[in-house]
Amino acid sequence: MAKMYGGQQRAQMQAPSNPLAIKTKKYGLEKNKYVGLCMRQLFSNQWKWAFLPLAFVGLNVFLNLSGTYKNYWIYIFLAIGVVGYILFWLIQFTGITQLAQYKQLFDKYRYEIDSRQIFMKISEKEGGMLKWDMILSAYKDKQAYVLEMGKYQFLYLPFSIFSENDRKLMDKIMRDKGFIA
């Protein structure tokens, strides 16, 4: 039975295991890591909006120096607005980690990865499957592979769950799929 959101379960037929597939150790995403990755994705998607408060500051500095309109309140409101925006998203992502329907994001899975699909197994009989076409983008950072499936949806696969040979095979699969160079 595969777990679904809201505590529902459904039976899922498991395809036979590929003997050449990458088999990882069990790993569960830590809640703080999830929040950090979501904030990183937020900043990488919305960095262009940082120019708006900078433009207001620049305009206000020009108006102050020219003597046209002297004010300091704009600096306070911009600082409150930027901090409030960041805190809003931080609270949203932290809230996700507390909700029962998102509990499965943080369950421990054992992954079986090959060039066709990614199996996420809780046990030998429970789990789910992701096709590679569901992965929109991926990257390799200093500690892990991050496979992005949408806004704030991703698989975080740290290098520690792979053997050395499996890491090389994972690099090859990701190169073949065009995710890394």
Side-chain angles (χ1 to χ4, degrees), residues 34-177:
Y34 173 78
V35 172
L37 286 169
C38 285
M39 291 300 289
R40 178 179 175 178
Q41 192 177 38
L42 175 77
F43 290 137
S44 68
N45 290 342
Q46 298 188 5
W47 65 270
K48 298 176 272 308
W49 290 102
F51 292 112
L52 189 62
L54 291 176
F56 281 129
V57 166
L59 178 65
N60 194 51
V61 166
F62 174 74
L63 291 174
N64 277 336
L65 292 177
S66 67
T68 307
Y69 182 66
K70 293 186 180 268
N71 66 24
Y72 298 102
W73 60 266
I74 192 78
Y75 302 114
I76 295 167
F77 282 120
L78 283 174
I80 290 171
V82 168
V83 170
Y85 183 76
I86 292 169
L87 281 176
F88 169 78
W89 283 106
L90 189 63
I91 291 167
Q92 294 297 313
F93 296 138
T94 304
I96 286 174
T97 65
Q98 307 301 317
L99 294 174
Q101 66 256 35
Y102 293 103
K103 181 183 173 282
Q104 72 182 23
L105 285 174
F106 309 104
D107 284 345
K108 289 191 175 199
Y109 293 99
R110 189 172 53 83
Y111 298 92
E112 289 186 15
I113 304 166
D114 62 23
S115 61
R116 295 175 294 139
Q117 65 223 350
I118 302 169
F119 278 115
M120 300 170 53
K121 293 185 172 184
I122 295 174
S123 67
E124 287 304 315
K125 295 183 181 182
E126 284 186 306
M129 177 183 69
L130 293 172
K131 294 279 188 191
W132 276 101
D133 60 356
M134 294 174 71
I135 307 297
L136 301 177
S137 66
Y139 60 91
K140 180 179 174 182
D141 66 10
K142 295 176 187 174
Q143 301 170 350
Y145 299 103
V146 181
L147 310 176
E148 296 179 351
M149 297 177 287
K151 278 191 172 183
Y152 317 115
Q153 297 176 354
F154 47 81
L155 287 179
Y156 181 80
L157 304 170
F159 297 146
S160 61
I161 65 173
F162 295 98
S163 69
E164 190 60 37
N165 288 336
D166 287 343
R167 266 184 70 186
K168 290 177 185 174
L169 184 56
M170 183 69 174
D171 281 344
K172 182 183 180 326
I173 290 172
M174 288 188 57
R175 268 193 304 277
D176 291 347
K177 300 288 179 190

